[in-house]
Amino acid sequence: MLRKKIAVTAALLLLITVLSGCTDYKKPINAESTGIWNEYFVWPLSQFISYVADLFSGSYGLAIIVTTIIVRLVLLPLMIKQVKSSKAMQDVQPEIKKLREKYSSKDQKTQKKLQEETMKLFQEHKVNPLAGCFPIVIQMPILIAFYHAIMRTQEIKQHDFLWFSLGHADPYHILPIIAGLTTFVQQKLMLGRTGNANPQMAMMMYIFPIFIAGMAFYFPAALALYWVVGNIFMVVQTYFVYAPKKSEKIDQTGGAKKK
């Protein structure tokens, strides 16, 4: 079942990546841009960024900050649904482990019985193993389109914000460093809240921030600004979405006690 979930998620994400990659991300986006990806995803987001910039006296820096927060807020319900689905899967893992130990034989009949018992367990606990995939699939095209909108909106490249030009890399490398640090904090907080002790995830916690910071050294500052704001939002989101209940917490003996 887990393999099926991974396969479905990978296939859908690959499809999204291929569809979004069919357009040249370096080609400016405008009303004449053709194709479903450009017309219904990238161009509307580009127009929205420009609209918000007009509300802030033409400040595209503030527009990126505001639109990033708005997009993240729109996607928040999907994130919460994904978290609940993941939590439900974690809750039934001990039972799944028992079933695997009970039906440890590799013969076809035993494995079929294992699958039947596992599906029965999911039904009893009202858990859908694939439910966590779909929120990710819906989020990805929106986030990729937002990335394209920032990279391909020509007006953004012509404006300055704070100490940097939005169309060029940060000359003082402040944004790349902040982007890397906030990425690290967000991932560390996520691992701490979920209790995921996977060594590969722990390794990615150090590799991915370096990767993001490295790209931000060379990419336009507008994109680095988007990463920083998005990371800060994710830090706050992770803290509250994964926050333990204030009414009680479970001690190491398994008993509940009030704070």
Side-chain angles (χ1 to χ4, degrees), residues 128-226:
N128 183 354
L130 298 178
C133 304
F134 297 108
I136 299 176
V137 173
I138 296 173
Q139 291 179 62
M140 286 302 294
I142 297 175
L143 294 176
I144 294 174
F146 193 34
Y147 160 80
H148 275 245
I150 291 174
M151 292 293 289
R152 299 170 61 192
T153 301
Q154 292 300 296
E155 290 80 5
I156 293 178
K157 298 179 180 180
Q158 301 168 4
H159 286 77
D160 297 334
F161 183 66
L162 299 178
W163 67 88
F164 50 85
S165 170
L166 292 172
H168 298 86
D170 181 356
Y172 302 110
H173 309 307
I174 297 175
L175 277 180
I177 294 174
I178 297 177
L181 288 175
T182 52
T183 301
F184 175 79
V185 171
Q186 190 273 325
Q187 292 194 88
K188 186 174 180 62
L189 182 61
M190 175 73 77
L191 289 176
R193 292 286 176 176
T194 58
N196 192 334
N198 190 319
Q200 294 178 338
M201 293 295 295
M203 184 181 297
M204 286 301 297
M205 183 178 68
Y206 295 97
I207 295 177
F208 194 58
I210 296 174
F211 175 72
I212 290 293
M215 289 197 300
F217 272 103
Y218 301 100
F219 276 52
L223 187 60
L225 178 62
Y226 159 67

Side-chain angles (χ1 to χ4, degrees), residues 89 92-101 118 121-122:
M89 281 296 296
V92 298
Q93 285 306 307
E95 297 297 326
I96 293 177
K97 184 178 180 181
K98 291 180 181 179
L99 288 176
R100 288 175 178 170
E101 292 175 351
T118 302
L121 179 66
F122 287 153

Side-chain angles (χ1 to χ4, degrees), residues 33-92:
S33 298
T34 58
I36 294 176
W37 178 249
N38 287 326
E39 294 178 22
Y40 296 101
F41 288 90
V42 182
W43 177 235
L45 281 170
S46 175
Q47 285 185 301
F48 184 63
I49 293 173
S50 297
Y51 171 76
V52 175
D54 290 339
L55 296 179
F56 290 93
S57 303
S59 174
Y60 276 87
L62 287 176
I64 290 174
I65 294 174
V66 172
T67 52
T68 300
I69 294 174
I70 291 174
V71 168
R72 292 289 181 175
L73 285 173
V74 170
L75 295 176
L76 184 57
L78 293 174
M79 172 62 182
I80 293 175
K81 185 176 181 180
Q82 180 184 335
V83 169
K84 289 181 178 180
S85 177
S86 299
K87 181 65 169 60
M89 281 296 296
Q90 288 180 356
D91 291 341
V92 298

Side-chain angles (χ1 to χ4, degrees), residues 29 35 116 219 245:
I29 188 71
E116 292 175 353
F219 276 52
K245 294 180 180 179

